Amino acid sequence: MAGPPPPSAPWTAPPPPPPSWAPRPPKPHRRRVWIYLLVGSVVVILGLAIASGTIWINKVKPPIDATNDYLRDISNGDYQAAFDQLCARERVDGSPRSLADTVHRIVVLGVDNYEVSPFDVHIDGNRATVKADLSPGIGGGDSGDVRIRLQKIDGTWRPCGGRFGFVDAPLTSRSA
């Protein structure tokens, strides 16, 4: 006779019922794109600042320095040194005395103080025009803004053009 039927798979307990609260699903990993955009923006801004500073130092500063040197000699009354800075064309028919006379016509009592504007420099190849404010000497008098024309000759910026470099004298006049 046949024996008992083959045993079936062993009996296991049914799985436990799910808990009444469900555990939170794992948090999705968010990419922080904003930090990459922020760092990239800062790098671009710094790059532009460095590039513009380099351009300013190489292009705009040399004519400003030449104007400061020229006006410093005039302010100190050293018209010979100022005259020596002029281009050859300006020195042909002039002298340090005629330079002094021109300066005294622009500012009645001479130049005691001056200020060169770094924001009003116009460069066109080897020519530049720089705006300067000539302040009156001791005792008052007129002062005003003048433009000084410079030319780059053999790598050196020199006052050249107008009358001893002075293009217009003065652009604006103020009374003390």
Side-chain angles (χ1 to χ4, degrees), residues 53-141:
T54 302
I55 290 171
W56 188 83
I57 287 172
N58 290 331
K59 292 291 251 175
V60 177
K61 193 170 182 306
I64 292 173
D65 290 344
T67 303
N68 274 318
D69 292 342
Y70 182 59
L71 291 177
R72 184 179 311 110
D73 288 340
I74 290 174
S75 175
N76 292 335
D78 191 355
Y79 294 103
Q80 180 63 50
F83 186 77
D84 291 342
Q85 293 179 38
L86 295 169
C87 66
R89 187 177 72 211
E90 290 289 323
R91 290 188 299 226
V92 169
D93 293 328
S95 67
R97 181 69 203 148
S98 59
L99 172 60
D101 292 342
T102 300
V103 169
H104 288 290
R105 271 195 304 271
I106 294 171
V107 180
V108 177
L109 295 175
V111 177
D112 186 41
N113 291 322
Y114 63 91
E115 183 176 328
V116 176
S117 173
F119 304 110
D120 201 353
V121 177
H122 302 284
I123 299 174
D124 184 17
N126 287 335
R127 296 179 187 267
T129 305
V130 179
K131 180 179 164 191
D133 178 21
L134 304 179
S135 300
I138 298 172

